[in-house]
Amino acid sequence: MYTFNDFYINGEWVKPQDGKTCEVINPATEKSIGTISLGNAADVDLAVAAAKKAFETYSQTSRDERIALLERIKEVYMARYDDVAQAISQEMGAPIRFAKRSQAGTWVMHLDQTLAVLRDYKFEETHAAHEIRKEPIGVCGFITPWNWPINQIACKVIPALAAGCTCILKPSEIAPISAAILTEILHEAGVPAGVYNMVNGDGPGVGAAISAHPDIDMVSFTGSTRAGIAIAKAAADTVKRVAQELGGKSANIILDDADIATAVANGVKGCFGNTGQSCNAPSRMLVPEQHLATAIEAARAAAEKIKPGDSADEKTMMGPVVSELQYNKIQALINKGIEEGAELIAGGPGKPEGLETGYFVKPTVFANVTNDMTIAREEVFGPVLSIISYKDEDEAVAIANDTVYGLSGYVSGEPEHAKQIAKRIRAGMIHINGEEGDGSNP
Ligand code: NAI
Ligand code: MG
């Protein structure tokens, strides 16, 4: 059992101001794996005061000092790598092999990349008549989700440490254990007091206090559109910088000149990676009308190969979804797909046979989906793929862009051709002929 009922403020573990504990559930077993506390605005005040004080000195550290700190963090992280992977697997249900290979590995990947950038980053540039100096923003508030718990923290905390910022992290209350272990790692690595602080809690209790705090200069959030909007509004009154990474309903355009069966199989794998719980999941597969039958067969075969199972088993390829709430939401969307007339070709409602305990979902594929159906519009955040056919490329591009989201997109086909189509997709990150969509790239 994990017990992390204290918060980490100013370099030490401290009791919450008003301790309310909360169980952390393993979605594969539905059992508690430990407890954390849910904090409030008073805890946030203490953490912000520590971060504000620490900024005075940490912002003045040299590049070399920060490089040394990041290198030391990496050493300690590697020593506790398996603890992190175990925690992730238990708190959000990632199969242990995936937790070790992909989930826990994201910290190392981002740390190495940040170090590479930091080593020769131009903090100062001299021009003919002026000088540009890039300075740390100040105190940062970070609010993170449960789907890639360490990755999302890595994307925020590592660059902040590299730049000379100080921070307050509020991890997801659904998957907070890996973050607590990470906090032990940062402490052991010698992150100076107040530079990194961690307060657990929920959105209304701690997330809202971070978003509105007058002494926080920037808030960075990853999670639902709903929470993103609330955070941006709460941050507006204090004119904070706000960075957000929200949901997606990414199109995967398979072109006529792609190897259809291979592209479909990769697309299924991509959509089902991390049990479909990735913001950039290629969840709408667009196939040329004349190849629909081939695509359906390939998708069914690929989906049937994926067997959900116990997250603790080294052989398991797909774990449960994160919580009962998400399970119910996904079931409702699968039923909605059937109701609205999509053709179910794999999976469907209910739990997979033999997995009655745990929030397991059948790997599900719908064909003959139209882009106005709920399953084509809403982010399912589970292993549910929608196949939509198109007549010509203009229609494919139009369908791809007909979404409120714009996070990511995928194109498969002859490389030059795919590149031309990719340019027409209105999304921030396009994968061309990649297998990046296998869920190992959150
Ligand atoms: P959520 O957006 O409610 O939670 C993410 C984080 O935001 C958590 O740390 C939570 O405590 C915090 N939060 C919630 N409300 C807040 C508020 N008003 N102010 C400040 N912080 C707040 O996500 P949830 O409910 O766990 O998942 C719901 C849906 O969100 C999923 O089905 C999926 O569609 C989407 N999602 C997207 C993610 C992404 O990576 N883009 C990650 C997780 C969820
Ligand atoms: Mg959990």
Side-chain angles (χ1 to χ4, degrees):
M1 292 297 271
Y2 297 102
T3 309
F4 285 109
N5 295 339
D6 292 350
F7 302 146
Y8 185 76
I9 297 174
N10 206 23
E12 49 190 16
W13 291 92
V14 299
K15 295 261 168 282
Q17 295 300 297
D18 175 21
K20 184 168 43 143
T21 60
C22 160
E23 301 281 340
V24 180
I25 306 296
N26 179 343
T29 61
E30 302 182 28
K31 294 213 169 73
S32 171
I33 56 165
T35 59
I36 57 158
S37 298
L38 301 180
N40 60 28
D43 300 297
V44 174
D45 283 344
L46 289 176
V48 173
K52 193 179 172 187
K53 182 91 189 66
F55 184 72
E56 289 169 19
T57 44
Y58 190 65
S59 61
Q60 302 304 312
T61 52
S62 68
R63 179 200 309 263
D64 287 346
E65 286 172 291
R66 298 198 299 277
I67 288 173
L69 179 62
L70 290 178
E71 284 172 341
R72 175 75 187 125
I73 290 171
K74 182 174 172 180
E75 266 172 47
V76 183
Y77 188 89
M78 294 318 286
R80 297 209 54 197
Y81 191 96
D82 283 352
D83 295 346
V84 174
Q86 269 298 341
I88 295 173
S89 177
Q90 292 184 39
E91 70 191 355
M92 56 73 69
I96 185 62
R97 200 161 73 111
F98 184 71
K100 284 184 195 162
R101 269 202 197 165
S102 297
Q103 287 272 10
T106 54
W107 179 271
V108 185
M109 178 179 88
H110 290 298
L111 196 133
D112 285 345
Q113 192 55 44
T114 306
L115 270 172
V117 172
L118 178 58
R119 284 187 211 286
D120 36 42
Y121 189 78
K122 281 205 179 88
F123 285 100
E124 281 165 19
E125 272 176 68
T126 308
H127 294 255
H130 63 278
E131 197 163 288
I132 295 175
R133 218 176 110 74
K134 294 186 179 146
E135 298 180 340
I137 283 171
V139 177
C140 302
F142 297 143
I143 302 172
T144 57
W146 43 260
N147 61 331
W148 286 87
I150 282 294
N151 176 71
Q152 316 292 15
I153 295 171
C155 289
K156 302 183 193 317
V157 169
I158 298 171
L161 292 176
C165 290
T166 61
C167 63
I168 297 97
L169 168 69
K170 189 202 86 62
S172 165
E173 66 277 29
I174 312 289
I177 305 298
S178 57
I181 294 173
L182 179 70
T183 301
E184 292 180 341
I185 291 169
L186 297 176
H187 180 81
E188 190 184 332
V191 173
V195 168
Y196 163 89
N197 306 273
M198 188 207 58
V199 178
N200 275 313
D202 58 18
V206 172
I210 288 176
S211 316
H213 205 290
D215 287 335
I216 292 182
D217 301 290
M218 174 175 187
V219 62
S220 174
F221 167 74
T222 303
S224 67
T225 308
R226 176 199 61 77
I229 292 168
I231 288 165
K233 285 183 179 169
D237 289 333
T238 48
V239 204
K240 280 184 182 49
R241 291 164 180 82
V242 179
Q244 302 179 310
E245 193 226 312
L246 310 177
K249 192 73 205 179
S250 302
N252 177 8
I253 301 182
I254 297 178
L255 296 170
D256 193 32
D257 50 21
D259 175 339
I260 303 289
T262 307
V264 168
N266 285 341
V268 170
K269 209 173 117 205
C271 181
F272 291 174
N274 203 32
T275 323
Q277 302 168 117
S278 293
C279 45
N280 64 349
S283 53
R284 290 185 296 150
M285 182 182 284
L286 275 47
V287 300
E289 197 174 61
Q290 67 275 22
H291 297 305
L292 181 61
T294 312
I296 288 179
E297 275 330 299
R300 178 184 286 132
E304 284 174 354
K305 263 197 243 158
I306 301 171
K307 305 270 180 243
D310 182 7
S311 309
D313 185 334
E314 286 280 349
K315 293 190 293 297
T316 295
M317 301 300 291
M318 182 188 274
V321 296
V322 71
S323 64
E324 186 173 17
L325 197 73
Q326 287 298 114
Y327 176 84
N328 290 335
K329 180 187 151 189
I330 294 160
Q331 293 300 317
L333 283 165
I334 293 174
N335 286 317
K336 194 89 178 163
I338 296 169
E339 250 170 70
E340 291 182 358
E343 183 193 345
L344 188 61
I345 63 164
K351 292 188 177 175
E353 228 184 271
L355 291 171
E356 282 71 28
T357 303
Y359 307 121
F360 293 96
V361 175
K362 293 178 189 165
T364 296
V365 181
F366 283 107
N368 290 313
V369 174
T370 54
N371 204 45
D372 56 352
M373 291 182 186
T374 310
I375 50 169
R377 305 222 67 85
E378 286 187 20
E379 181 174 48
V380 179
F381 234 57
V384 180
L385 173 68
S386 293
I387 300 180
I388 302 172
S389 64
Y390 66 84
K391 285 190 187 51
D392 55 39
E393 284 170 10
D394 286 343
E395 191 188 26
V397 170
I399 294 170
N401 290 335
D402 177 15
T403 172
V404 296
Y405 295 106
L407 186 66
S408 197
Y410 300 76
V411 188
S412 317
E414 184 280 315
E416 241 346 278
H417 183 196
K419 213 165 161 181
Q420 292 313 314
I421 298 295
K423 286 182 185 164
R424 300 172 62 192
I425 302 180
R426 302 279 300 148
M429 172 174 56
I430 313 291
H431 307 262
I432 296 176
N433 285 328
E435 291 184 50
E436 292 92 339
D438 64 356
S440 61
N441 180 12

